[in-house]
Amino acid sequence: MQSLDTRLLPRSQFLTAVSQYFDHAARITDHPPGLLEQVKCCNSVYRMRFPVKRDDGSIEVVEAYRAEHSHHRTPTKGGIRFSLNVSQDEVIALAALMTYKCAIVGVPFGGAKGGVRIDPHSISDGFRERLVRRYTTELVKKNFIGPSIDVPAPDYGTGEREMAWIADTYSMLVQNELHPYACVTGKPLSLHGIPGRREATGLGVYYGIREAMSHADDMEAIGLSTGTQGKRVVIQGLGNVGYHSAKFLQEQGGAVIVGIAEKEGGIANPDGLDVEAVSRHLKGTGSIHNFPGADNIATPREVLELDCDILVPAALENQITADNAERIRAKIVAEAANGPVTNDADEILRRRGVFIIPDVYLNAGGVTVSYFEWLKNLSHVSFGRMSSKHEEVTNRNLLAAIEKLTLRSLEPAERRLIITGPQEIDYVFSSLADTMSYSYNRIRDSWKSKGLPDLRTTAFYLAIDRVARTYLSLGIFP
Ligand code: NAD
């Protein structure tokens, strides 16, 4: 039984942090206070309580939320999380981050977030399905979901299976909807999903770190060489985002994963941990501890303090606080999770010269690929269906002409590489890489050219300006 009246709780540290980041950046813009207030405030929140039958037949009254932070663009977009920490403040803070995130990576959505106050690790599959279907029904009843209204996605404690139940429930309840599957993203591939969505956030984290580490002067300032090759990385949380961040950093970036934390504690090995093998061990034994060749660490917090070049918090908010910020030894903190660093910790880390790649940019890979999935669901055709074969024929003709001219034939493997038309996953990954690279350099250029204090302030500044300009173009504000 879990009941808690969130009205009695003080404003959460996380919402305060997002609000302060906003205020700090808003002061740099020259927009009037009324317009900034509109950009900052949460447009609507739906707080619900509904009954769900437990496996033994008894009833649990579940507390859940959906916050739509900004309707300057619709639909609104944002994940649904299952966690005991869920509160109204938390979903509002996360929804606000979504608005700014979308603006930063040029995805035309307003921000939203959903939350269900439940422990995702302690519920049965049956209870989980009944809960997701009931939550979706509540959202439909109040017009808080739909392809042109508000489009959820996975977040902490949820994944493809939950998204499939949402799509199915929505399509049963809403008749005459031409695009019912565009009501949610992060669906399984077999149910109108898109290849690459599962790994998108973690892959985007890798692309973002790679881009940040390509700038020699920034890396020199913190005593690192450019590139991820050989860099020592610590990961907090081996769920969707943490696992994929670690995997791509290791496999594509040549980084050495020296420590991993999960909720029960952590493991470390200065010679490197095989991410795939650790993930298998975690699934097989139910704990990250006792991985062959690694040292056990008692608590997840201690893992954050390991000696490393890059620390990737990929679990929950408020993990690096004023209490432990002085002991963080990483030179780069790459915020894969939302809000892992509190305001006071942010100040301490920056004073100590730590380079922070902010969440509001770094974990935007998920919503970017969700945008591609939504477009695919609206058009009812996969990317490349109309062009892939045509490109292949064109390449084949071009290659034949070149071979004829040069009197040279290529090896079969070389031919295949040049001729084969792109698959849907190639479009997704190349567009994701381009988005992460372009957005980083846009933030960095403004940071340098305007002399702003850091990447986070600059990212917020650019996002606020973009949303404010949308309102200005509507003529609502003078
Ligand atoms: P997830 O549920 O798949 O994984 C989270 C993991 O963290 C779990 O394995 C959990 O056991 C672990 N964990 C919980 N508490 C921990 C602790 N104290 N120390 C170490 N590990 C701990 O969730 P996810 O989807 O990977 O989301 C992680 C973070 O990334 C969240 O902040 C979420 O908002 C953010 N995010 C997720 C996405 C996405 O596409 N899933 C997109 C953007 C941002």
Side-chain angles (χ1 to χ4, degrees):
M1 184 74 183
Q2 334 147 8
S3 75
L4 183 96
D5 195 334
T6 47
R7 284 169 306 179
L8 301 177
L9 291 177
R11 195 169 196 239
S12 85
Q13 200 178 6
F14 185 25
L15 182 56
T16 305
V18 174
S19 177
Q20 284 178 4
Y21 290 138
F22 181 97
D23 293 343
H24 192 49
R27 278 196 286 274
I28 304 164
T29 72
D30 47 16
H31 295 299
L35 175 53
L36 290 171
E37 179 58 25
Q38 177 59 38
V39 177
K40 183 180 181 184
C41 68
C42 182
N43 293 176
S44 27
V45 190
Y46 178 24
R47 174 177 184 266
M48 59 205 107
R49 296 277 180 105
F50 50 79
V52 181
K53 200 176 264 182
R54 294 196 191 94
D55 295 342
D56 65 5
S58 62
I59 293 293
E60 172 143 352
V61 178
V62 174
E63 176 184 330
Y65 301 87
R66 183 74 186 171
E68 293 174 358
H69 172 260
S70 180
H71 293 143
H72 77 289
R73 288 212 193 285
T74 48
T76 49
K77 186 97 190 70
I80 296 175
R81 70 166 46 179
F82 282 10
S83 159
L84 279 176
N85 293 331
V86 161
S87 67
Q88 182 164 311
D89 276 3
E90 189 194 60
V91 289
I92 290 175
L94 288 162
L97 276 183
M98 283 304 297
T99 295
Y100 312 135
K101 201 175 294 183
C102 290
I104 287 165
V105 291
V107 165
F109 296 134
K113 204 77 177 188
V116 179
R117 197 167 178 277
I118 197 98
D119 177 3
H121 309 287
S122 72
I123 52 177
S124 70
D125 287 352
F127 183 86
R128 190 180 273 267
E129 179 171 357
R130 291 190 291 279
L131 166 56
V132 170
R133 289 189 182 277
R134 177 67 192 237
Y135 177 69
T136 310
T137 307
E138 295 291 333
L139 295 179
V140 170
K141 279 200 300 195
K142 290 283 189 292
N143 229 11
F144 264 74
I145 186 171
S148 60
I149 302 169
D150 186 357
V151 181
D155 193 73
Y156 185 92
T158 62
E160 288 175 15
R161 193 172 46 155
E162 287 74 15
M163 303 308 116
W165 290 328
I166 292 174
D168 186 51
T169 309
Y170 181 86
S171 65
M172 285 192 294
L173 290 174
V174 182
Q175 304 298 312
N176 299 322
E177 166 64 71
L178 181 58
H179 320 290
Y181 289 98
C183 76
V184 64
T185 59
K187 301 178 292 293
L189 206 48
S190 52
L191 200 79
H192 309 278
I194 194 165
R197 175 59 185 89
R198 188 183 296 167
E199 55 268 56
T201 308
L203 181 58
V205 167
Y206 164 61
Y207 287 150
I209 295 173
R210 185 178 71 176
E211 198 60 45
M213 295 193 75
S214 70
H215 293 278
D217 40 350
D218 296 346
M219 291 305 105
E220 210 172 289
I222 53 170
L224 285 179
S225 58
T226 54
T228 52
Q229 186 70 36
K231 299 297 185 308
R232 296 162 309 144
V233 176
V234 167
I235 304 277
Q236 186 202 30
L238 206 60
N240 179 299
V241 178
Y243 163 75
H244 288 108
S245 303
K247 181 180 155 73
F248 289 111
L249 276 161
Q250 183 169 68
E251 290 176 4
Q252 290 193 18
V256 185
I257 312 297
V258 295
I260 303 179
E262 252 299 320
K263 54 186 181 315
E264 65 279 6
I267 51 171
N269 184 345
D271 297 328
L273 297 158
D274 177 344
V275 175
E276 210 53 65
V278 175
S279 170
R280 271 198 309 274
H281 170 83
L282 179 60
K283 281 189 191 123
T285 67
S287 167
I288 198 155
H289 282 147
N290 304 323
F291 179 71
D295 294 327
N296 284 340
I297 298 175
T299 65
R301 289 264 163 165
E302 289 170 72
V303 182
L304 297 173
E305 297 168 21
L306 287 174
D307 190 18
C308 65
D309 299 311
I310 310 166
L311 172 62
V312 184
L316 281 168
E317 59 263 24
N318 300 339
Q319 297 302 302
I320 304 175
T321 65
D323 290 340
N324 59 359
E326 294 285 1
R327 296 193 299 276
I328 299 296
R329 286 193 272 171
K331 297 196 167 90
I332 297 176
V333 171
E335 296 183 341
N338 283 310
V341 177
T342 60
N343 288 77
D344 36 9
D346 181 81
E347 256 182 70
I348 296 170
L349 292 178
R350 284 193 292 115
R351 174 176 47 72
R352 294 182 51 231
V354 177
F355 189 89
I356 302 173
I357 314 178
D359 51 1
V360 72
Y361 154 74
L362 192 65
N363 66 33
V367 74
T368 303
V369 176
S370 274
Y371 171 46
F372 303 152
E373 182 177 332
W374 179 76
L375 290 174
K376 175 183 174 174
N377 295 155
L378 292 185
S379 60
H380 299 258
V381 64
S382 51
F383 291 101
R385 167 120 191 226
M386 306 288 284
S387 57
S388 187
K389 193 70 197 169
H390 178 68
E391 262 186 61
E392 200 170 306
V393 172
T394 310
N395 292 346
R396 196 182 291 278
N397 290 341
L398 193 65
L399 193 61
I402 292 170
E403 285 182 332
K404 199 169 154 193
L405 262 175
T406 57
L407 301 175
R408 192 190 149 220
S409 287
L410 292 183
E411 296 296 322
E414 284 177 308
R415 294 188 120 254
R416 248 197 324 276
L417 197 68
I418 294 173
I419 289 172
T420 310
Q423 303 299 299
E424 190 167 38
I425 189 108
D426 302 319
Y427 286 110
V428 170
F429 283 171
S430 57
S431 303
L432 174 61
D434 184 45
T435 301
M436 295 307 292
S437 162
Y438 176 81
S439 307
Y440 184 82
N441 287 304
R442 200 170 145 258
I443 300 168
R444 185 178 180 275
D445 288 350
S446 292
W447 171 37
K448 300 280 171 181
S449 66
K450 294 188 191 305
L452 296 177
D454 52 52
L455 286 171
R456 192 192 314 276
T457 308
T458 315
F460 268 80
Y461 162 79
L462 291 172
I464 293 168
D465 189 54
R466 189 169 260 189
V467 179
R469 281 177 196 282
T470 309
Y471 282 113
L472 287 174
S473 62
L474 295 173
I476 298 172
F477 290 89

